[in-house]
């Protein structure tokens, strides 16, 4: 995969996220992976990853199909075969609206996949970055704060305990920067950044339910972007669940207040219902 400049927003909207998750799974593998058995496949701009022992579509995803070049039916089958080889029946294939060819979604439907809820893909530049407005203390953290990091991320995202040993796998890893919001000595919010030259992906945005509405996420966004801009970053990419009238998403509204622009709503494609294990 080549590295276009930060002005190629359409490219980086998918590529930055895909590369960040690929490196995250490599980090888990570098730490042994435990029983999670992390797996990553990267080919022609498509990043597919899975945790073999965790049947949750959030951790078993494919990003970038049809973006770097027009997809083929063989590409679709490669992604599906990858999930199948890892025993994954709960997965998500994320397709941007500019993915090529136009027949791509029909190929997914023909293989029994179904449309799921969309994610909002957003971006902003490094001009007029916001300041921090919260009484909480924002700190950049490293491996010494891995317990605080894992506690916040697992609780906020309702992740299973099996992920705890690897929730902080990227702490201290090259090109990663992590921040926590503290109320006194208690960590209550988190956010991470993955740098790719002049582009940054922002992820892990989380706040404990007890401390929502106190400016944690907005302040962590501001700190992350200001520190990344000081290192030469010119483009910021992130994503969150779609904001709907009957199911509002405060994270999305925080992003808009922080100067992010909606690029598009990205469709999630899910496996057939009959393929999912019984709960």
């Amino acid at each position: 995969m080549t590295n276009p400049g930060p002005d190629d927003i359409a490219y980086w909207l998918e590529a930055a996220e895909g590369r960040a998750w690929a490196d995250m799974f490599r980090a888990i593998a570098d730490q042994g992976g435990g029983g999670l058995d992390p797996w990553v496949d990267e080919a022609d701009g498509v990043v597919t990853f899975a945790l073999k022992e965790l049947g949750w579509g959030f951790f078993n995803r494919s990003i970038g199909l049809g973006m770097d070049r027009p997809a083929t039916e063989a590409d679709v089958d490669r992604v599906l075969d990858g999930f199948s080889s890892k025993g994954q029946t709960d997965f998500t294939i994320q397709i941007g609206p500019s993915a090529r060819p136009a027949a791509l979604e029909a190929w997914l439907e023909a293989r029994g996949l179904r449309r799921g809820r969309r994610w909002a893909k957003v971006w902003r530049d490094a001009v007029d970055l916001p300041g921090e407005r919260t009484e909480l203390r924002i700190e950049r953290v490293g491996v010494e704060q891995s317990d605080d990091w894992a506690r916040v991320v697992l609780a906020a995202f309702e992740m299973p305990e099996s992920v705890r040993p690897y929730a902080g796998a990227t702490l201290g890893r090259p090109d990663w920067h992590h921040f926590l919001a503290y109320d006194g000595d208690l960590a209550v919010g988190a956010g991470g950044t993955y740098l790719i030259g002049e582009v940054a992906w922002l992820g892990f945005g989380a706040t404990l339910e007890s401390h929502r509405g106190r400016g944690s996420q907005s302040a962590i966004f501001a700190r992350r972007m200001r520190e990344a801009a000081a290192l030469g970053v010119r483009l910021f990419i992130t994503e969150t669940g779609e904001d709907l009238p009957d199911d509002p998403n405060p994270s999305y509204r925080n992003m808009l207040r922080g100067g992010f622009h909606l690029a598009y709503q990205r469709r999630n494609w899910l496996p057939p219902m009959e393929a999912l294990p019984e709960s």
Side-chain angles (χ1 to χ4, degrees):
M1 190 188 292
T2 57
N3 264 1
D7 294 330
D8 195 344
I9 297 169
Y11 172 84
W12 286 113
L13 281 162
E14 300 296 319
E17 180 188 2
R19 293 198 197 186
W21 277 87
D23 195 67
M24 195 186 313
F25 273 51
R26 287 192 291 266
I28 295 172
D30 288 347
Q31 293 188 5
L36 297 178
D37 193 10
W39 168 77
V40 178
D41 179 61
E42 296 180 80
D44 297 318
V46 183
V47 178
T48 306
F49 49 89
L51 293 178
K52 183 177 180 180
E53 299 303 322
L54 192 61
W56 185 7
F58 181 76
F59 289 107
N60 308 310
R61 287 192 278 144
S62 185
I63 301 170
L65 197 60
M67 297 299 295
D68 204 40
R69 62 165 175 77
T72 66
E73 291 196 76
D75 294 326
V76 173
D77 290 335
R78 176 181 177 128
V79 169
L80 293 174
D81 289 346
F83 288 130
S84 178
S85 71
K86 297 302 173 182
Q88 285 298 345
T89 56
D90 189 356
F91 56 82
T92 304
I93 299 177
Q94 299 181 296
I95 304 295
S98 60
R100 301 163 293 162
L104 177 55
E105 292 193 336
W107 295 341
L108 296 173
E109 285 185 321
R111 287 158 175 79
L113 275 72
R114 55 194 170 90
R115 289 177 171 84
R117 186 167 176 173
R118 300 183 301 178
W119 283 12
K121 290 292 300 185
V122 300
W123 66 276
R124 68 153 294 159
D125 59 25
V127 178
D128 296 327
L129 293 172
E132 300 170 31
R133 297 183 179 88
T134 182
E135 77 279 9
L136 301 172
R137 186 177 77 258
I138 311 300
E139 291 189 6
R140 183 173 173 183
V141 298
V143 293
E144 298 82 3
Q145 291 80 29
S146 59
D147 288 343
D148 283 347
W149 176 269
R151 183 176 55 79
V152 172
V153 170
L154 263 66
F157 285 109
E158 299 181 347
M159 293 180 180
E161 279 296 313
S162 58
V163 179
R164 181 177 293 274
Y166 307 103
T170 56
L171 287 166
R173 192 172 175 88
D175 301 320
W176 286 92
H177 302 263
H178 302 79
F179 301 84
L180 288 171
Y182 284 90
D183 182 3
D185 294 328
L186 179 67
V188 299
T193 313
Y194 181 63
L195 306 183
I196 313 167
E198 296 179 294
V199 180
W201 174 79
L202 307 175
F204 291 112
T207 304
L208 297 183
E209 187 173 0
S210 60
H211 284 72
R212 289 172 187 167
R214 295 179 58 181
S216 169
Q217 275 310 296
S218 295
I220 291 175
F221 263 122
R223 175 68 67 85
R224 284 186 287 176
M225 291 191 293
R226 286 183 173 275
E227 291 208 9
L231 295 173
V233 167
R234 294 172 47 205
L235 175 65
F236 299 95
I237 301 293
T238 191
E239 62 281 330
T240 189
E242 185 176 10
D243 183 56
L244 298 172
D246 60 346
D247 191 7
N249 181 354
S251 292
Y252 176 70
R253 299 176 186 188
N254 280 338
M255 291 171 182
L256 295 186
R257 284 193 292 270
F260 283 87
H261 310 283
L262 176 65
Y264 48 78
Q265 304 284 359
R266 183 178 62 188
R267 176 66 65 188
N268 289 332
W269 285 84
L270 310 177
M273 288 296 296
E274 58 269 20
L276 297 176
E278 295 184 5
S279 56

